[in-house]
């Protein structure tokens, strides 16, 4: 295992201009904040379609507290980015000329592709939109990078642990052959293949990142980690399929971002490429997740349900490659990170409730 002190990476990021395509979302704004803290110049290009303030204001399925909470989360993203000195441009990366304008203005040296639909459930409901957001944007980005490979030293593509499909054992690593199922996982895997093709044919430096079961502050993507604490706060049951024995490699956003920053800082240039699992590296059960919510929110209702037959079989993603190459050191076990997140959510929800009721 390689030990590389995290703060020692700052000199490697100073002077880099890093463009985050689709970077206003949950992962992107956290990454942008940390890259700025580490000394990089950061620009976000995003059409603000996913996690939209406008959509949030007019969504009829939300009650007033949820609407207020999500609005607070989104606005805090923008204020934090502004205060950190991160640039933000309203840009639709599905339109080549729109994205080209950003490339001409900013002249990035590194690019992170984050544009994507929010979840596998949303992707199944709107496959065409999923294809557009995840692949058309990627094609446009790669085409703009291709004539600039002498100036852009790295392209990072945010993939997903879903590309592995059903796990055949308890653990997978980056040599495990992907068997993606569904629209979301397949568009992520097609994105990986497209990035690798451009790497081999046009000599791009590339990094593929596979995260898993993320949670953290200011997320409104309806991941299970968020839905559980929100359901507890609103008196809805936490549904435990098969008794909650399903396992996911839950990862705090701070651990993912630490790994991303390491992969950007330690990249060796246009002739270097790699793929990394960036997770906590220890799968935990859904029941364990629910138990933490129950410890934070009194009166949490747990309700068992039969296991869905098409539910994916998951487990641990090995992070040994990231530890060896990047010195990646995840720091937030579920008992600490998720508990902290739940406590933050309770406080944020109470503030939103008070604000909503005062109107």
């Amino acid at each position: 295992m390689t030990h590389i002190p995290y703060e020692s990476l700052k000199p490697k990021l100073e002077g880099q201009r890093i463009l985050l395509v689709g970077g206003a979302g949950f992962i992107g704004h956290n990454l942008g904040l940390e890259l700025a803290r580490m000394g990089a110049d950061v620009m976000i290009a995003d059409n603000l379609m996913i996690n939209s303030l406008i959509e949030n204001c007019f969504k009829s399925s939300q009650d007033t507290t949820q609407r207020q909470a999500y609005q607070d989360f989104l606005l805090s993203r923008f204020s934090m980015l502004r205060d950190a000195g991160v640039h933000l441009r309203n840009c639709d990366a599905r339109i080549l000329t729109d994205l080209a304008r950003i490339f001409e203005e900013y002249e990035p040296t590194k690019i992170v592709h984050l544009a994507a639909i929010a979840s596998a459930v949303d992707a199944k409901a709107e496959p065409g939109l999923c294809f557009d957001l995840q692949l058309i944007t990627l094609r446009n980005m790669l085409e703009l990078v291709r004539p600039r490979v002498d100036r852009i030293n790295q392209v990072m593509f945010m993939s997903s642990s879903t590309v592995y499909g059903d796990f055949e054992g308890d653990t997978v690593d980056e040599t495990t052959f992907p068997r993606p199922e569904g629209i979301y996982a397949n568009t992520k895997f097609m994105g990986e293949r497209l990035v690798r093709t451009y790497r081999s044919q046009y000599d791009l430096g590339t990094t593929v990142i596979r995260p898993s079961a993320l949670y953290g502050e200011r997320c409104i993507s309806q991941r299970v980690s968020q839905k559980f604490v929100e359901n507890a706060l609103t008196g809805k049951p936490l549904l435990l399929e098969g008794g909650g024995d399903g396992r996911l490699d839950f990862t705090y956003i701070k651990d993912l971002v630490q790994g991303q920053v390491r992969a950007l800082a330690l990249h060796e240039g246009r002739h270097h490429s790699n793929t990394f699992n960036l997770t906590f590296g220890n799968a935990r059960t859904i029941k364990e997740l629910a138990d933490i919510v129950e410890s934070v929110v009194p009166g949490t209702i747990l309700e068992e349900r039969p296991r869905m037959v098409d539910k994916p079989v998951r487990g641990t993603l090995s992070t040994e490659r990231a530890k060896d190459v990047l010195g990646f050191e995840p720091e937030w076990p579920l008992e600490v990170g998720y508990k902290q997140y739940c406590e933050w959510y309770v406080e944020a929800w109470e503030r939103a409730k008070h604000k909503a009721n005062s109107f």
Side-chain angles (χ1 to χ4, degrees):
M1 182 185 301
T2 303
H3 177 67
I4 305 171
Y6 183 64
E7 295 298 322
S8 71
L9 300 176
K10 284 185 177 181
K12 295 180 179 294
L13 291 167
E14 292 173 356
Q16 297 289 341
R17 295 185 303 280
I18 304 178
L19 177 63
L20 310 183
V21 177
F26 173 52
I27 299 174
H29 87 275
N30 278 287
L31 176 59
L33 290 170
E34 183 62 6
L35 284 171
R37 190 190 73 79
M38 293 289 284
D41 189 286
V42 184
M43 177 178 283
I44 288 173
D46 201 301
N47 67 2
L48 306 180
M49 177 181 177
I50 302 298
N51 299 333
S52 164
L53 271 169
I54 296 174
E55 181 180 303
N56 181 68
C57 287
F58 287 89
K59 203 168 186 178
S60 59
S61 61
Q62 292 178 331
D63 64 24
T64 55
T65 299
Q66 186 186 52
R67 183 178 296 116
Q68 184 63 57
Y70 287 15
Q71 180 176 305
D72 291 346
F73 297 169
L74 291 169
L75 287 174
S76 66
R77 292 181 186 179
F78 298 133
S79 62
M80 292 172 74
L81 289 167
R82 180 195 61 219
D83 293 346
V86 175
H87 315 287
L88 176 62
R89 296 291 183 273
N90 195 324
C91 163
D92 193 334
R94 296 173 297 178
I95 302 171
L96 183 60
T97 53
D98 219 18
L99 191 58
R101 175 174 55 85
I102 302 299
F103 271 67
E104 293 293 335
E105 172 193 351
Y106 189 57
E107 297 183 344
T109 59
K110 293 180 183 286
I111 301 178
V112 183
H113 183 276
L114 297 129
I117 207 161
S119 72
V121 174
D122 293 339
K124 184 177 180 180
E126 298 187 80
L129 180 61
C130 176
F131 189 93
D132 282 354
L133 293 179
Q134 295 184 182
L135 291 179
I136 299 302
T137 61
L138 179 61
R139 187 270 282 177
N140 287 344
M141 185 200 76
L142 290 170
E143 274 298 278
L144 290 168
V145 171
R146 183 166 59 88
R148 297 174 170 86
V149 293
D150 58 333
R151 288 165 280 167
I152 297 174
N153 60 64
Q154 183 180 14
V155 168
M156 176 179 283
F157 175 67
M158 290 305 299
S159 185
S160 167
S161 61
T162 61
V163 300
Y164 290 113
D166 285 345
F167 288 21
E168 293 185 335
D170 292 334
T171 305
V172 295
D173 63 22
E174 294 86 351
T175 66
T176 302
F177 188 78
R179 298 183 302 157
E181 297 182 9
I183 295 294
Y184 180 84
N186 273 286
T187 52
K188 285 294 188 183
F189 187 52
M190 283 188 276
E192 288 191 12
R193 295 293 299 271
L194 191 58
V195 166
R196 293 189 182 102
T197 299
Y198 269 73
R199 176 200 68 197
S200 62
Q201 296 198 357
Y202 304 110
D203 205 20
L204 275 63
T206 62
T207 305
V208 172
I209 303 295
R210 294 170 177 167
S212 171
L214 293 168
Y215 64 88
E217 292 81 356
R218 300 175 301 281
C219 178
I220 63 169
S221 302
Q222 293 295 299
R223 293 171 170 88
V224 63
S225 50
Q226 181 200 355
K227 290 176 70 173
F228 267 19
V229 64
E230 196 170 299
N231 282 359
L233 287 166
T234 55
K236 299 175 183 177
L238 280 57
L239 303 181
L240 304 177
E241 296 179 9
D245 63 351
R247 299 168 67 245
L248 291 171
D249 197 341
F250 293 105
T251 306
Y252 197 9
I253 186 64
K254 292 180 181 180
D255 278 334
L256 170 64
V257 166
Q258 178 227 138
Q260 290 174 292
V261 170
R262 286 178 177 275
L264 288 164
L266 296 170
H267 187 73
E268 297 176 7
R270 57 182 289 194
H271 303 294
H272 180 73
S273 297
N274 217 328
T275 298
F276 297 107
N277 293 333
L278 290 182
T279 71
F280 186 74
N282 181 26
R284 306 292 292 275
T285 67
I286 302 297
K287 178 61 165 58
E288 289 176 289
L289 192 77
D291 287 343
I292 294 173
V293 176
E294 190 175 26
S295 73
V296 174
V297 184
T300 296
I301 303 167
L302 306 183
E303 186 175 305
E304 294 191 11
R305 292 286 180 88
R307 183 181 292 103
M308 295 177 63
V309 295
D310 61 346
K311 204 73 170 181
V313 178
R314 308 290 293 282
T316 296
L317 280 72
S318 170
T319 58
E320 289 306 309
R321 177 183 291 180
K323 290 176 181 178
D324 290 342
V325 176
L326 306 175
F328 176 57
E329 300 172 356
E331 299 175 352
W332 296 91
L334 199 66
E335 291 82 1
V336 179
Y338 188 59
K339 186 173 186 291
Q340 177 173 295
Y341 168 62
C342 289
E343 291 169 344
W344 172 87
Y345 211 99
V346 169
E347 293 179 4
W349 192 263
E350 288 303 313
R351 287 195 301 270
K353 182 187 291 186
H354 176 75
K355 192 182 296 186
N357 292 337
S358 67
F359 291 145

